Amino acid sequence: MSDKQYEVIVVGAGSSGQSVALAAVKAGKSAALIEGRAFGGTCPLRGCDPKLVLHAAAEAMYRVERLLGKGFTGKPDFSWSDLMEWKRGFTEPVPESSRAKMRDNGIETYQDYATFIDSHTLDVGGTRLRGEIIVLATGMRPAPLDIPGNEYLLTSDEFLEMDDLPAEMVVVGGGYIGTETAHIAHALGCQVTMIITEDEPLDKFDHDLAALLRQADEDRGIQYQINSKATAVRKAGDRFEVDVEDTAGQTTTLRTDRVIHCAGRVPNTKRLQLDKVGIETDEKQRIKVDDGLRTNLDHVYALGDCAASGLPLTPVGTYAASVLNDNLFKGATRKVDYYPIPTVAFALPGMASVGMTAREAEASDRNLSVHYKVANDWFHARHRNAAVFAFKLIVDDDRDVLVGAHLLGPGATELINLLYLVIRQEIPTSEIKRMIFAYPTAASTITSMLRA
Amino acid sequence: MSDKQYEVIVVGAGSSGQSVALAAVKAGKSAALIEGRAFGGTCPLRGCDPKLVLHAAAEAMYRVERLLGKGFTGKPDFSWSDLMEWKRGFTEPVPESSRAKMRDNGIETYQDYATFIDSHTLDVGGTRLRGEIIVLATGMRPAPLDIPGNEYLLTSDEFLEMDDLPAEMVVVGGGYIGTETAHIAHALGCQVTMIITEDEPLDKFDHDLAALLRQADEDRGIQYQINSKATAVRKAGDRFEVDVEDTAGQTTTLRTDRVIHCAGRVPNTKRLQLDKVGIETDEKQRIKVDDGLRTNLDHVYALGDCAASGLPLTPVGTYAASVLNDNLFKGATRKVDYYPIPTVAFALPGMASVGMTAREAEASDRNLSVHYKVANDWFHARHRNAAVFAFKLIVDDDRDVLVGAHLLGPGATELINLLYLVIRQEIPTSEIKRMIFAYPTAASTITSMLRA
């Protein structure tokens, strides 16, 4: 016997889960929302939002730094603990305000982890909840790094909570989380060494642009150990030693104040005990779903970062939630369609990407042209003394439309949205070339990009 | 008898004039390009480009300032003369490189002012040039301010050349040039008072947003004398006195280190002696042209800032040149069509506008809705402690398309280009709401804007 029954149970109170729970009660359904960690999820607590708070300060510092000797004669004084306090002003109110919002809307909230008892029933701290529909939106967390001394590692979550910025830091992992972490810390005064298994950072982005970013990083003093992995961490007084092994099997040892582990994330599905009820996951432990976000069980759905559907990005989760909500509560039969989605690394400078990659273009037998240029000498880059400005646009020449865009440099993280719109709406490039964008802005470089 | 004959004579070696001269020789025509001032024109020498060089430094300082007590504990040290030297690195090579580029392309260049002798002939420093076609692209310059003591005023051109930044400055005029001048100077450490005839700055932009900008300005210490005009300037030792009269006839006197006059610009047409050959101008002294950029004389054309055609913006001049070039040298019959064009004030924060204004919306009998909100509390504004973030979007509800967009705050100057694209391409707002813009970027706020 269940203690409680709901028409809809949502597990995970991040943005996707909250959206589904709200849509359920709005449609007149009884709904429960269960969260083992703090209400709010990754984005406002441990992801996009706090990261951007730190990034805003790092970017201001970085801009000053780029103009040293060109107006600025010194860098501003800075306090990491002041920045952390400012950041906590954003994150700390979230759990209570999120949970209150849910309650105010008539959603019953549970602060504990959920475990399947049977396919319709979850145990939540000893209470049994039965749901006609169960929606899993448990998100992801940093993957453990299985090496000796892993207890000395801080995760990227913990980096965002650090009380002080050390003088030296090693960052393990060069994806967007590792790169952003390294760039924020370096801009704010920390010596950073990156350890990455690939030969360039940001391997989900364009390889040529990533190589330019690493070059710019190295020019300003960020150190890279490429084609390498951390194999052990040891405490050495107040500091740490990190063994780093390269692909040739060569091991070196780094000494540093702090080691931040940003290599990989895994879905938060272990405590659910999915296998007990036969919910299938993929090789990355993500919950398998169809294009209606339904798992292999008819009444169980999954979305957001824990689901094997779309990129693990907040707006993708929000979009998936809108599809699921329409289907579950408005009788729609929408399917998720992850038509090119812009992705961004808030590096310094920013990296951004949407649509077809250069590798896909090479492999394609379509009539495509690649407009690739390192445009450091363009006014857009020069006037702020940008470290690097480069782009790669992929145009389908037969159809006269943009199909891919990859940007590195000032304005990239914003301009990618405009190019996404151009790709998605299939606006002819001949039409784009006639546009009168405001000058001087990042968008005003597009015409020149298309000619490059 | 003329000394020289050309198929095409272009007067004015700014971006529009250079474009036409290049197109002429490319089409196999003989061409002359005449310039009284330095080759290059307003944009790279006295406009957009040097302004943006200064703005980049001012913005970096401004960003630090916004985060004082929130990470930064002090502002960076700064040297105006270093900044000027950096800026001169952009402007100084322009005249020689522009002129060399023209010559290398086979254009004969003349460094002097031109005066009409007859409708086909110009006097250029004693040389008579006869042109089958004459194209006028002489641009604009700061209008003289006809008050006692006007010899003590510096123009906005001279501001961009100033050897040192004074402790106190009065800026006369609150259009985009005055506002940008004031904001750059203030961010870099100068006390600024603005004298403006209107009740808000930036009167070409949305009035509500302009009021918010003034409030933000006053909060950070910029002083405004609204509904006022400067009536006299006197030297007082090393400083100056400025008499300011308000609409009630009340006069006060300001004491300051420097007075910068940014109120109004006039076409550079006086030396041409247009009236001698009967070329017509409008009430603002701009050369009248039809939608093919032809003056009332069949073989004389005008474009760029000196022509009464479109806004005086570099990309508008470039666009007009492309139309004229197609018509003159490729047998086309294009007409200029100034479909909504984005305009931007590089204020701190930025102001931007495109399409229908709120006033036009009010006066319209179309079914329009205005989405106006001061969104300082949105994460986009909060995370960088933006002084203000506000928008006004105008939607044609019957057609479900955006028809006007007005933005103030972080990201405004870039985002306006995306909204311009949306307006111009008439992308349905229902379609925009389904877009998955990268988060957190300025573009990712659009969906919320449309719901506001």
Side-chain angles (χ1 to χ4, degrees), chain B residues 318-332:
Chain B
T318 308
Y319 160 75
S322 77
V323 171
L324 186 62
N325 293 341
D326 284 356
N327 292 353
L328 290 180
F329 310 122
K330 292 182 181 172

Side-chain angles (χ1 to χ4, degrees), chain A residues 145-219:
Chain A
L145 198 64
D146 190 18
I147 58 170
N150 62 13
E151 67 272 25
Y152 300 124
L153 301 171
L154 297 185
T155 64
S156 54
D157 292 4
E158 289 163 319
F159 169 75
L160 295 171
E161 298 282 349
M162 246 169 28
D163 285 331
D164 58 295
L165 186 67
E168 293 177 30
M169 206 167 98
V170 164
V171 174
V172 180
Y176 83 94
I177 297 174
T179 302
E180 289 171 348
T181 299
H183 284 196
I184 288 169
H186 182 266
L188 296 175
C190 178
Q191 293 273 355
V192 175
T193 301
M194 306 269 293
I195 303 173
I196 63 176
T197 50
E198 301 79 14
D199 59 349
E200 300 298 351
L202 296 178
D203 73 325
K204 296 281 194 298
F205 290 82
D206 183 82
H207 195 263
D208 289 323
L209 301 189
L212 291 166
L213 180 64
R214 175 161 72 95
Q215 184 60 58
D217 279 358
E218 289 179 340
D219 287 348

